[in-house]
């Protein structure tokens, strides 16, 4: 067996977390205020150990609603409460994670939000077509828009941890930085939605043994994707739609509601959601 049980890490105090969140806020505000950027998720499926492809292109401009206030109540989840086995690769297909899902199941995953501009539009479309999705949220965005996090959860969607500031390449961060990004995002989502994410998506699908170990330590399963319309690069609504409509049963679809201009993504979903349902697919959350 190559899998091993994660060690139980030590807990940390709320005070430490509070100071750290304030530091995240200051760091993010400084970086974005200076024209900092965030590269959206995108890589080829199955490239867990490979560097990002050169075609990934320039970073998207990232326009967060920068948090200006320290959080109120902070409850850092105890990572020792639900350790899981350390995996050596992420989940690429629905049935790898959910073997009992319907054979025609697909999973829509929506990354890099929440965004005040686009997330409400996406949520409205999901409601209209009775689709549940998995939202991989960025910690500083979640902290800035807790109401959106609560709305996502209230609508029956699943929340996944997508790091605090979406650093790339994530796997090249130190083990301490990887753990900090993961732990603090857990804390922010718990604070907003009251429940710990059980799923983790690495920025850019960039994985390493240290990332897998940290993910397991916090009781999460690493998830990737196998249909990537590269919507973050704004290739046009038609191209995004064509790629998503080519999904096969069991596919995990990737798109974005945050991190930049996602108007093409929203327009694509407007037609893709009813079209995939008409083809008989069942949307499941991961
Ligand atoms: Zn991302």
């Amino acid at each position: 067996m190559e899998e091993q049980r994660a060690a139980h890490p030590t807990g940390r105090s709320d005070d430490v977390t509070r100071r750290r969140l304030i530091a995240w806020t200051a760091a993010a505000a400084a970086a974005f205020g200076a024209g900092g950027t965030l590269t959206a998720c995108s890589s080829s499926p199955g490239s867990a150990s490979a560097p990002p492809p050169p075609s990934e292109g320039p970073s998207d401009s990232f326009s967060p609603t920068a948090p200006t206030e320290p959080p109120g109540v902070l409850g850092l989840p105890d990572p020792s409460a639900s350790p899981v086995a350390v995996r050596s690769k992420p989940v690429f297909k629905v049935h790898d994670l959910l073997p009992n899902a319907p054979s025609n199941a697909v999973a829509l995953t929506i990354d890099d939000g929440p965004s005040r501009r686009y997330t409400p539009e996406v949520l409205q479309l999901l409601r209209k077509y009775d689709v549940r999705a998995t939202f991989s949220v960025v910690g500083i965005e979640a902290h800035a828009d807790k109401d959106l996090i609560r709305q996502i959860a209230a609508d029956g969607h699943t929340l996944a941890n997508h790091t605090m500031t979406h650093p790339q390449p994530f796997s090249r961060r130190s083990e301490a930085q990887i753990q900090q990004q993961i732990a603090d995002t857990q804390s922010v989502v718990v604070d907003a939605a009251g429940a710990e994410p059980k799923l983790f998506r690495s920025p850019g699908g960039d994985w390493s043994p240290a990332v897998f170990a940290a993910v397991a330590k916090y009781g999460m399963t690493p998830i990737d994707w196998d249909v990537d319309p590269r919507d973050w690069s704004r290739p046009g609504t038609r191209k995004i739609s064509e790629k998503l409509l080519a999904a096969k049963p069991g596919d995990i679809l990737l798109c974005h509601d945050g991190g930049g201009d996602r108007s093409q993504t929203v327009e694509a979903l407007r037609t893709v959601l009813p079209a995939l349902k008409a083809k008989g697919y069942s949307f499941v959350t991961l």
Side-chain angles (χ1 to χ4, degrees), residues 55-86:
S55 60
E56 189 163 85
S59 299
D60 292 286
S61 68
F62 190 63
S63 305
T65 305
T68 55
E69 300 174 3
V73 178
L74 285 172
L76 181 67
D78 175 6
S80 67
S82 54
V84 300
V86 178

Side-chain angles (χ1 to χ4, degrees), residues 14-257:
D14 284 357
D15 283 347
V16 171
T17 309
R18 183 173 290 106
R19 286 198 299 273
R20 194 168 285 156
L21 271 163
I22 293 169
W24 283 129
T25 301
F32 298 133
T37 58
L38 176 149
T39 303
C41 278
S42 194
S43 75
S44 301
S47 62
S49 60
S55 60
E56 189 163 85
S59 299
D60 292 286
S61 68
F62 190 63
S63 305
T65 305
T68 55
E69 300 174 3
V73 178
L74 285 172
L76 181 67
D78 175 6
S80 67
S82 54
V84 300
V86 178
R87 299 175 66 109
S88 58
K89 61 179 182 179
V91 170
F92 292 107
K93 292 277 194 179
V94 170
H95 298 95
D96 293 344
L97 181 65
L98 306 169
N100 297 323
S103 59
N104 62 351
V106 293
L108 175 63
T109 60
I110 304 169
D111 289 15
D112 295 358
S115 151
R116 283 179 201 173
R117 172 72 181 80
Y118 299 107
T119 304
E121 292 185 60
V122 170
L123 287 172
Q124 189 175 29
L125 285 172
L126 295 173
R127 253 179 252 128
K128 179 176 181 180
Y129 294 108
D130 194 25
V131 167
R132 303 294 172 272
T134 301
F135 286 79
S136 310
V137 299
V138 174
I140 57 168
E141 301 304 311
H143 176 52
D145 277 301
K146 292 179 184 175
D147 286 347
L148 278 175
I149 295 296
R150 280 189 278 273
Q151 188 62 58
I152 291 169
D155 281 6
H157 307 297
T158 295
L159 290 161
N161 181 323
H162 196 36
T163 74
M164 205 63 191
T165 59
H166 206 279
Q168 290 182 273
F170 188 55
S171 69
R172 291 184 209 163
R173 269 34 185 199
S174 70
E175 288 188 25
Q177 289 173 324
I178 288 170
Q179 293 215 20
Q180 192 171 314
Q181 288 272 345
I182 289 173
D184 289 348
T185 305
Q186 289 294 85
S187 182
V188 167
V189 175
V190 167
D191 187 38
E196 272 183 72
K198 297 297 183 188
L199 304 168
F200 176 81
R201 173 165 278 164
S202 188
D206 184 23
W207 305 98
S208 70
V211 174
F212 288 126
V215 170
K217 190 175 290 184
Y218 287 89
M220 291 186 288
T221 298
I223 57 168
D224 219 274
W225 60 85
D226 60 353
V227 172
D228 180 6
R230 300 175 66 78
D231 62 320
W232 59 272
S233 67
R234 297 188 285 282
T237 300
R238 183 176 168 183
K239 287 197 172 182
I240 296 170
S241 299
E242 286 174 351
K243 188 77 177 176
L244 293 174
L245 288 171
K248 299 288 185 290
D251 281 344
I252 297 176
L253 286 53
L254 171 67
C255 62
H256 298 81
D257 64 340

